[in-house]
């Protein structure tokens, strides 16, 4: 469930564009006005506001925001203002760059988006970067990471709930055999995890657990320090229990040595319109403190207010 709060009666996109233009006028930027508009509009509304703003003022709203804002607040507003597909394309591109490379972000996008959303992100990637996401991932990764990540970003899974229980039994046994052999990057293991529907994978892993007495991720902890195995376990978590993955990312972002603002911003802006309510519940269950309290205690100013608004905090 989303946490984004959109008023029942919203002004027109033209009025919103005018309010944003006003926020940039005068001696200082009116950050509160920017939050009150953008943090309470859905993706379709934000897209329309950008189009109207461009038509009316002859400037891309993103460029105007870039000029007026700074630091973590700027990054959160810019990421949020993009369409989900544009945002994912940008995040994926950043994840393939030398100094911001992250197999985790690539895996997260590939495993937690619907097939249509992942396809839309790849189309946005084509449009913005004039190349494919697949070729960039293949070029910037190697070894077992490449074996896993390229098919993950290339897939178009069936999104329905139909499940073949006989297939689940067969493939649970294949997974068990490969894991017992410590062949963690075997093509059959990768084929199952990168092509089967999420419902089918859930059925297969439930059968694995029931038949072999262990959750698959427990059996994949043979070497807790192996980076590939960490990524493989996280991919399985994202495919089967995404809110648990995101709650952990948020916990590490907030509780680590210094706040990981990039991780915090990424999760809040990408999940506020999707499943942030479930993530908040999972976070609270595992950390005994609400996500609102954790964010308020670890961030400040307009950045804090923007994040709290997106996770549905009453006063933001």
């Amino acid at each position: 469930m989303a946490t984004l709060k959109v008023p029942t009666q919203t002004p027109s996109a033209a009025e919103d564009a005018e309010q944003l233009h006003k926020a940039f006028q005068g001696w200082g930027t009116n950050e509160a006005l920017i939050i009150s508009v953008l943090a309470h509009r859905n993706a379709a509304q934000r897209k329309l506001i950008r189009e109207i703003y461009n038509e009316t003022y002859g400037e891309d709203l993103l460029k105007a925001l870039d000029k007026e804002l700074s630091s973590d607040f700027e990054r959160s507003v810019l990421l949020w203002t993009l369409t989900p597909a544009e945002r994912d394309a940008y995040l994926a591109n950043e994840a393939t760059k030398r100094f911001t490379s992250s197999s985790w972000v690539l895996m997260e996008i590939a495993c937690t988006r619907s097939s249509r959303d992942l396809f839309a992100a790849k189309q946005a990637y084509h449009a913005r970067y004039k190349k494919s996401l697949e070729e960039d991932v293949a070029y910037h990764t190697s070894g077992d990471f490449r074996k896993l990540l390229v098919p993950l970003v290339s897939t178009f899974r069936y999104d329905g709930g139909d499940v073949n229980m006989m297939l689940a039994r067969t493939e649970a046994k294949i997974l068990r055999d490969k894991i017992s052999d410590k062949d963690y990057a075997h093509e059959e293991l990768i084929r199952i995890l990168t092509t089967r529907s999420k419902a089918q994978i859930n059925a297969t892993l439930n059968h694995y657990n029931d038949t072999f007495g262990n959750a698959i991720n427990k059996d994949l902890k043979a070497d807790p320090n192996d980076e590939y195995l960490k990524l493989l376990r996280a991919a399985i978590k994202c495919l089967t229990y995404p809110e648990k993955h995101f709650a952990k990312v948020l916990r590490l972002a907030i509780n680590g040595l210094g706040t990981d603002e990039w991780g915090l911003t990424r999760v809040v802006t990408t999940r506020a319109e999707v499943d942030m309510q479930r993530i908040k519940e999972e976070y609270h269950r595992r950390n005994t403190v609400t996500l609102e309290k954790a964010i308020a205690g670890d961030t400040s100013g307009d950045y804090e207010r923007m994040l709290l608004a997106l996770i549905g905090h009453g006063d933001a």
Side-chain angles (χ1 to χ4, degrees):
M1 233 179 91
T3 50
L4 174 67
K5 288 184 176 175
V6 179
T8 338
Q9 296 290 317
T10 52
S12 69
E15 290 173 273
D16 279 342
E18 187 184 347
Q19 287 300 303
L20 289 169
H21 190 64
K22 275 184 190 168
F24 305 145
Q25 306 305 301
W27 287 106
T29 307
N30 187 340
E31 289 87 354
L33 183 53
I34 292 169
I35 294 169
S36 73
V37 175
L38 291 176
H40 298 283
R41 301 294 182 270
N42 63 34
Q45 291 168 328
R46 297 192 306 274
K47 186 171 186 284
L48 192 53
I49 292 166
R50 274 173 67 191
E51 288 166 7
I52 299 287
Y53 191 95
N54 200 1
E55 285 168 20
T56 311
Y57 303 106
E59 183 181 24
D60 185 345
L61 176 59
L62 293 169
K63 282 187 178 162
L65 290 165
D66 188 35
K67 279 193 297 193
E68 297 293 331
L69 309 179
S70 62
S71 195
D72 297 317
F73 176 54
E74 176 192 5
R75 179 177 267 182
S76 64
V77 173
L78 288 176
L79 265 186
W80 175 246
T81 306
L82 293 168
T83 66
E86 290 171 329
R87 188 191 305 127
D88 280 345
Y90 170 76
L91 290 170
N93 184 255
E94 287 293 297
T96 63
K97 288 181 178 172
R98 185 178 169 193
F99 295 110
T100 50
S101 69
S102 172
S103 296
W104 285 71
V105 172
L106 294 168
M107 175 282 299
E108 190 179 281
I109 291 169
C111 294
T112 62
R113 281 23 169 197
S114 70
S115 294
R116 290 188 184 283
D117 288 345
L118 179 57
F119 185 68
K122 291 193 282 187
Q123 286 179 308
Y125 200 98
H126 283 188
R128 179 162 181 178
Y129 302 108
K130 311 306 175 198
K131 49 188 172 172
S132 75
L133 174 58
E134 293 88 339
E135 69 180 286
D136 271 357
V137 171
Y139 182 71
H140 291 284
T141 57
S142 60
D144 290 345
F145 289 89
R146 181 190 285 166
K147 282 184 196 174
L148 178 65
L149 288 169
V150 172
L152 273 180
V153 299
S154 306
T155 195
F156 192 85
R157 296 175 196 272
Y158 169 62
D159 267 336
D162 297 334
V163 164
N164 180 329
M165 292 311 291
M166 193 175 289
L167 184 66
R169 282 195 292 275
T170 306
E171 296 196 330
K173 174 75 166 57
I174 292 170
L175 292 174
R176 173 67 171 189
D177 289 347
K178 300 313 165 196
I179 291 169
S180 298
D181 293 342
K182 293 188 166 40
D183 200 351
Y184 305 118
H186 190 279
E187 60 181 25
E188 280 295 274
L189 183 148
I190 286 174
R191 173 189 64 79
I192 293 165
L193 295 178
T194 61
T195 65
R196 293 301 183 199
S197 72
K198 291 175 184 178
Q200 184 66 42
I201 288 172
N202 263 304
T204 299
L205 299 188
N206 285 338
H207 191 80
Y208 184 105
N209 195 6
D210 294 344
T211 307
F212 306 114
N214 255 349
I216 192 170
N217 271 3
K218 244 185 189 169
D219 289 342
L220 288 170
K221 278 187 178 166
D223 179 356
N225 298 317
D226 184 301
E227 292 301 319
Y228 170 73
L229 284 182
K230 282 184 192 173
L231 185 69
L232 188 60
R233 291 196 302 272
I236 290 167
K237 187 68 55 63
C238 283
L239 289 165
T240 57
Y241 198 168
E243 56 266 40
K244 194 171 180 180
H245 165 79
F246 287 117
K248 183 179 180 181
V249 174
L250 288 170
R251 178 175 58 79
L252 294 174
I254 292 167
N255 296 349
L257 283 174
T259 309
D260 171 15
E261 288 85 359
W262 184 225
L264 178 56
T265 301
R266 184 183 83 248
V267 175
V268 171
T269 55
T270 58
R271 308 316 288 179
E273 287 183 277
V274 186
D275 56 358
M276 182 51 78
Q277 188 56 44
R278 286 200 297 273
I279 294 166
K280 281 168 61 176
E281 289 161 8
E282 181 69 19
Y283 187 93
H284 192 191
R285 192 171 72 79
R286 292 189 159 263
N287 299 282
T288 66
V289 63
T290 64
L291 182 58
E292 286 91 342
K293 215 170 216 180
I295 287 174
D298 219 55
T299 60
S300 60
D302 296 314
Y303 179 52
E304 175 195 346
R305 285 185 279 276
M306 180 70 182
L307 295 182
L308 289 177
L310 292 180
I311 68 166
H313 187 60
D315 304 329

